[in-house]
Every structure is written in structure tokens, then in C-alpha cells.
Amino acid sequence: MKRTRQLIHLGAAALALCTAPTLMAAESATIGNVTVVNDYLFRGLSQSDRDPALQAGLEYDHASGWYVGGWGSSISWLSDTSAPGARVSSSVELDVYTGYRTKVGDDWTLDGGLYEYYYPGSYPHGYTRPYTLEAYAAVGWRALTLKYSQTLGNAFGVADSRNSSYVDLSWNWEFTPGWLVNAHAGRQRIAGTSAASYSDWKLGLTRNFDHGYAVALGYYDTNARRSVYTNAMGHYLGRATAVISASKAF
């Protein structure tokens, strides 16, 4: 991305194994996952400059519906903004989150909580820190989920962007055992910087195997402005692209 101090990151799990926790557990349980992906995308934007990323997460689900977890990924979008005399060393995203989910009848689910994005590393003087805290709420009906997230401070390094928001509608339909269709449309609003607001969409297919293995393929695109979302290497981060990932849940 071109600007050093005002950048849009927008990152989380490519497969949504941690960022979109599963339904309320019948018993307390701890779940985890490891994923390799050819390009780390979140909300349609590349976080790894089109390069592969390694990701992992761990979540504790209490039988009451309360959950807490953490997730991490390799990234490059921050270090890509480095300039002579203004180095940025962060190359890892570490997230923590907590919330509560419950079922209402047979078809409805409710979910809400807090999600913190953290990027360890060193930043030059005057750099707007990318650390971001979002509150989120979601309602699900069968295979459909509508989710709203809002920042409680600045959004991913953009100065004066408090109360930025993201709304997305997702559809994950298991049309036959082990096979799922994944569709998604979202709208990112960056408060105070309308040029950075955009929409993104996805259509994908996931194949689940025995013993927690899965492979996913998705087609992603956005209408993000090239003038905002082109990095120092001249790469447009919101381009239409295919993403393939392999994961192991445990």
C-alpha cells in the first residue's frame, strides 16, 4: 500500500476456522487448526503480497456457549511499507478473541464478542499503530450468516478512523457429505477516508476429509481503489484472484 502511516490491513483467517467459530459445543472442548495458503486474503485484500502464508489457531469452547481463542499468520503488508530511515519490522499477525454463541431453536444461531488484531514489531516515530479492536455480532439461519463488526479505535493503522465497520453475508452449504459451497459478500467502510471503503465477494468450494484434513479453493474479487490499495512494489492488493489452502484441524 502506498501510504506509510495510513494503511488498510483487514486481516484474519483465510478459512475462517477461528474468526468464524463453530456452533456452541455440547461439551467443553479445545480445537485447533494449522493452514497453508498460497495467498493470505482477508476481506478481499492480500496480506502477504501474493505470497504463501502459514497460519495456526487454537480455541477453547465452553459448554455454556462462551469461547476464547487465538490465531496467527505470517504477513508482509506492514514491512512492505518500510522506507529508508523509517523501517517497519512487523511480519506476523497475532489475534485474540472472546465471545458467546448460542442456538435458538433448530435453525438459528447468535454470536457476539470482541476481536483484537496485534502486530508485534518496531515502528518509526509518528507511525499510526495498526493494532485494532473490533466488536462483532452475528446471526445465523441454517447455512446463512450475517455479521457486523465495528472498530472501537482506529482501523488497522488509518489515523482518525474510529468506528469503521464491516458487514458481511456468508453462505456455507454442505450439499453432500464432506463438500461445501462457500459464498460471501461484504462491505468495508473506513470512517473519515471514503476512498478506502470498498466491497468484496467470494465463491468457493471446500472438501473435508477424515481426521480433520480439508482443502479449499476460492475465487475472490473487490472494487477497492487501485490508488489506495497498490503497495510499494506496484502490486494491486484487491485484484481478482484464486486462493487454495490446505488445513488440518485437531
Side-chain angles (χ1 to χ4, degrees):
M1 305 175 188
K2 288 188 174 180
R3 288 174 292 178
T4 300
R5 299 183 186 178
Q6 293 189 343
L7 303 173
I8 316 297
H9 147 67
L10 312 177
L15 288 178
L17 293 174
C18 283
T19 55
T22 55
L23 300 182
M24 176 177 164
E27 298 180 354
S28 299
T30 300
I31 58 175
N33 64 85
V34 177
T35 301
V36 178
V37 62
N38 71 311
D39 187 359
Y40 171 22
L41 294 189
F42 178 66
R43 298 177 184 173
L45 302 181
S46 177
Q47 309 302 297
S48 55
D49 193 30
R50 307 179 183 180
D51 289 331
L54 177 63
Q55 305 169 338
L58 189 67
E59 178 178 299
Y60 173 73
D61 296 322
H62 192 267
S64 66
W66 171 78
Y67 59 88
V68 61
W71 186 85
S73 178
S74 56
I75 61 170
S76 69
W77 70 276
L78 282 165
S79 59
D80 289 343
T81 68
S82 291
R87 306 300 298 175
V88 178
S89 70
S90 182
S91 59
V92 176
E93 173 186 335
L94 297 176
D95 305 340
V96 292
Y97 60 90
T98 187
Y100 177 82
R101 73 175 71 90
T102 188
K103 293 191 68 175
V104 181
D106 293 331
D107 296 329
W108 294 88
T109 59
L110 300 175
D111 187 7
L114 296 172
Y115 200 105
E116 170 72 21
Y117 303 82
Y118 180 70
Y119 308 92
S122 60
Y123 300 91
H125 178 71
Y127 195 99
T128 301
R129 294 294 191 268
Y131 317 140
T132 302
L133 176 63
E134 285 188 337
Y136 61 88
V139 58
W141 180 74
R142 297 185 179 179
L144 285 170
T145 301
L146 180 64
K147 182 177 180 181
Y148 177 81
S149 303
Q150 181 167 308
T151 64
L152 303 182
N154 286 333
F156 306 104
V158 180
D160 302 319
S161 59
R162 184 181 179 90
N163 295 326
S164 295
S165 62
Y166 185 73
V167 60
D168 70 273
L169 180 66
S170 298
W171 181 57
N172 295 286
W173 175 49
E174 186 174 26
F175 60 92
T176 193
W179 290 90
L180 291 89
V181 172
N182 320 117
H184 156 86
R187 177 65 181 175
Q188 177 69 59
R189 183 185 66 85
I190 301 298
T193 309
S194 60
S197 299
Y198 68 95
S199 299
D200 71 288
W201 50 94
K202 167 200 172 183
L203 182 62
L205 186 67
T206 299
R207 175 66 168 107
N208 291 318
F209 299 94
D210 293 339
H211 309 298
Y213 291 97
V215 176
L217 176 65
Y219 174 81
Y220 296 75
D221 200 1
T222 78
N223 65 357
R225 294 193 183 188
R226 289 180 177 269
S227 59
V228 177
Y229 293 103
T230 297
N231 67 13
M233 281 66 72
H235 295 160
Y236 172 48
L237 303 179
R239 64 171 183 158
T241 188
V243 173
I244 186 168
S245 60
S247 65
K248 173 66 169 73
F250 54 87

